[in-house]
Amino acid sequence: MNQPSSLRWLSIPALVAGLLGAATAATVPYTAAGGTATFEHKVRFINVKGNMTDVTSTVQLDLVDLAATKGTVTVPVVKLKTGIGLRDDHAKSDVALNAAKFPNAVFTLDKLTGGKLVQGQTLSTTATGKLTIKGKTLPITAPVKATLDGNKVNVSTQFKINPKDFEVNYPGSSDSATLNVTFTLVPR
């Protein structure tokens, strides 16, 4: 079918705009609840392991351009458990985490390295942002693994911090703690 030349020129920009719009994915709000965080830390030569439940996250996620993703992860340090109640109380005290005043540790994501999530595949990326513990905020970079499973995204990370950098000065505490955080993001 022949179109008048003036209509053909109107159709081309509309087609290009449609194709560009389809190729550009937007960020979508995702949330996570019920995640976990574990830690391993030496205190007076004793290897202390513990966990925190109810980790949450809120992100604006772009599945095809992870670099566009922004968000936060909240770890309730007030729920810290090591298996020994007295040790938990000491860890949550004002000398260490001061959980009464600062009940959460919060990571604010500034950027992820690029890439895109593909159904059923695990992508390794790097998160850069700010970690706030006990009211002190410091920059941090952490490796992240993310797997797209249906409409869910399973996220995990493991990284080390020096608790003393965050003014967590528990007596006899080492200068290294290994943290593991896992959660599942679902679209809101």
Side-chain angles (χ1 to χ4, degrees), residues 7-19:
L7 289 179
R8 254 185 273 140
W9 288 111
L10 289 174
S11 300
I12 291 172
L15 178 64
V16 171
L19 290 174

Side-chain angles (χ1 to χ4, degrees), residues 82-156:
T82 65
I84 299 174
L86 185 58
R87 181 169 53 201
D88 297 349
D89 292 344
H90 286 287
K92 292 187 257 185
S93 74
D94 60 348
V95 173
L97 291 166
N98 198 358
K101 185 173 181 183
F102 305 103
N104 297 309
V106 178
F107 173 75
T108 302
L109 176 66
D110 290 331
K111 73 175 194 172
L112 284 172
T113 53
K116 76 179 205 175
L117 292 172
V118 176
Q119 193 64 240
Q121 294 180 4
T122 299
L123 175 72
S124 294
T125 184
T126 302
T128 302
K130 295 176 229 33
L131 179 61
T132 303
I133 299 175
K134 198 178 175 182
K136 181 148 186 185
T137 303
L138 295 172
I140 189 168
T141 299
V144 174
K145 290 187 178 181
T147 306
L148 182 61
D149 181 12
N151 69 342
K152 299 176 183 177
V153 181
N154 299 314
V155 180
S156 65

